[in-house]
Amino acid sequence: MPESARKSDPLHGVTLKAMVEHLSERYGWAGLGERITIRCFTHDPSVTSSLKFLRKTPWAREKVESLYLHSVAHPRKSAVPKGDAATS
């Protein structure tokens, strides 16, 4: 893959497993199932079962990739930034 193509592909080097783990940690399985309504996220969810389904189902994988890109582009703000804790 040419260097310019790698720079333009934000998913380059990110595995499907890493995406599912990131999303399940960020939203939890229940939250992930609300955002993407597929059984592998709503009924007895696990990374392994999700990967099996997503590898066989292109439309579902596209939804996961889209949500992953959105979550990376819009990180959650922490309540108290590190190093800025108030001292008494």
Side-chain angles (χ1 to χ4, degrees), residues 52-65:
K52 284 181 184 179
F53 177 76
L54 293 170
R55 287 183 178 130
K56 296 177 185 178
T57 316
W59 63 265
R61 183 180 179 138
E62 289 174 10
K63 289 184 178 218
V64 168
E65 290 173 348

Side-chain angles (χ1 to χ4, degrees), residues 2-75:
E3 185 68 29
S4 61
R6 274 188 235 142
K7 288 181 181 178
S8 65
D9 181 10
L11 295 175
H12 180 76
V14 181
T15 65
L16 184 58
K17 181 179 181 183
M19 286 184 233
V20 171
E21 289 174 344
H22 169 82
L23 293 172
S24 66
E25 288 173 10
R26 179 171 176 157
Y27 301 114
W29 289 111
L32 191 51
E34 289 173 5
R35 287 167 176 80
I36 304 173
T37 309
I38 51 179
R39 284 185 61 88
C40 67
F41 295 153
T42 60
H43 294 81
D44 195 26
S46 72
V47 172
T48 305
S49 67
S50 298
L51 291 175
K52 284 181 184 179
F53 177 76
L54 293 170
R55 287 183 178 130
K56 296 177 185 178
T57 316
W59 63 265
R61 183 180 179 138
E62 289 174 10
K63 289 184 178 218
V64 168
E65 290 173 348
S66 177
L67 182 60
Y68 174 80
L69 290 173
H70 176 79
S71 72
V72 171
H74 301 92

